[in-house]
Amino acid sequence: MAAVVVAILDRDNWDANTDIIVVVDGARRRLTWVPRDLWSPVINDRVNAAFAMGGGKLLLDALAGLGFMADSAICLRRGATEAALASASIRVPIRAPLDFWYPLTPTRRIEDGRQQVSFRPPAETLRGARLHQWIGARTMVNGEGTDFHRMGRQIVFLRALIAQGFDFHLVLKDPELVRIDGDDPLPLLARVSASWRMQVHDWVDDAVIDGKMVLVPRKPKPWWRRKWRRLRDRLKGTRT
């Protein structure tokens, strides 16, 4: 199998949007986080709405329309991940102080009330609510912060889970909270290690479509600019 999509819903029901979308490419040993706000022409909406509209099959079609080809999708309700992480204690590295505004509870809107959550170098051990705050916090106290920062922390968290021997089969414990479309994704997912490349798909631009703030694929730079950049880098290397 060449690639698998792993998606986690933002609520504990099958009508919810996919909050986290990761394409696992076995041939390239690479995991790519796809922004949930990326606009999909296939469904004429943000890509995170595809599963709620038509299940894993439509999510695969929507991603394929954006250039992310995969053979199967495994979609997890929020309850599956919460149960798996209920007793987890994961230590993550922290490079710089982080301060966020976060909802009073993970599933509430930040507009309905907020609390400040902070993380401090060089590392913290996350458990319980702190796990959800690390994975989901987006709005920084200083006004910065985007979904890309949030996905970056999810990468740090996943690497830590793998390195610390987390049992990922725990998310499959309740089959009512898991849906698989396409070929069996588990053999490929079992191969993933902390050494695989993990990246955020950030080659995008902001846009407004149908009154919605969304992301769209960024147009590639002209061929001559790419060629000039390679020549420039080659000349720099020769001088050094």
Side-chain angles (χ1 to χ4, degrees):
M1 184 179 297
V4 168
V5 173
V6 178
I8 302 175
L9 280 64
D10 60 2
R11 294 291 185 271
D12 195 23
N13 62 74
W14 292 120
D15 296 325
N17 289 337
T18 45
D19 187 53
I20 299 173
I21 304 171
V22 181
V23 180
V24 182
D25 188 332
R28 296 179 175 85
R29 295 167 57 87
R30 181 180 69 192
L31 280 69
T32 301
W33 270 248
V34 179
R36 57 187 178 180
D37 290 335
L38 192 59
W39 183 260
S40 166
V42 171
I43 63 171
N44 201 37
D45 204 338
R46 298 183 181 99
V47 70
N48 71 335
F51 181 84
M53 291 180 177
K57 176 63 169 61
L58 187 57
L59 176 60
L60 288 170
D61 290 344
L63 288 168
L66 293 166
F68 300 100
M69 307 299 297
D71 305 286
S72 67
I74 177 169
C75 299
L76 309 168
R77 273 173 38 180
R78 187 184 184 101
T81 55
E82 288 185 344
L85 294 170
S87 60
S89 180
I90 305 298
R91 190 163 181 81
V92 296
I94 301 172
R95 294 183 178 179
L98 298 171
D99 298 289
F100 298 95
W101 292 121
Y102 192 74
L104 297 177
T105 61
T107 57
R108 292 179 62 180
R109 300 187 312 162
I110 200 168
E111 294 85 358
D112 298 331
R114 66 184 187 180
Q115 60 179 312
Q116 182 174 329
V117 297
S118 300
F119 303 94
R120 293 292 179 261
E124 285 202 24
T125 299
L126 307 176
R127 60 176 66 90
R130 296 286 283 172
L131 285 170
H132 300 290
Q133 293 165 0
W134 176 266
I135 295 170
R138 172 175 177 173
T139 305
M140 299 188 74
V141 172
N142 63 8
E144 298 179 358
T146 67
D147 219 29
F148 298 107
H149 296 126
R150 186 181 73 107
M151 289 184 283
R153 293 195 312 278
Q154 292 169 2
I155 290 176
V156 172
F157 184 69
L158 179 59
R159 286 193 185 279
L161 283 176
I162 295 173
Q164 295 167 45
F166 179 76
D167 183 5
F168 288 92
H169 287 93
L170 291 173
V171 300
L172 307 175
K173 188 173 182 180
D174 185 348
E176 295 298 319
L177 303 180
V178 182
R179 286 187 181 175
I180 294 175
D181 289 86
D183 299 332
D184 182 4
L186 301 184
L188 172 55
L189 295 178
R191 292 167 43 201
V192 176
S193 73
S195 66
W196 283 32
R197 181 181 178 186
M198 300 185 190
Q199 63 184 21
V200 174
H201 177 68
D202 57 2
W203 193 251
V204 294
D205 286 315
D206 295 320
V208 177
I209 301 178
D210 292 343
K212 299 179 180 180
M213 295 292 296
V214 300
L215 299 171
V216 295
R218 183 176 299 172
K219 294 181 180 179
K221 294 180 179 180
W223 67 269
W224 57 265
R225 187 175 296 177
R226 297 195 301 271
K227 189 172 183 178
W228 165 249
R229 186 173 63 249
R230 288 195 295 267
L231 178 59
R232 180 196 59 193
D233 293 343
R234 190 179 304 117
L235 289 173
K236 285 182 178 180
T238 302
R239 290 171 185 169
T240 57

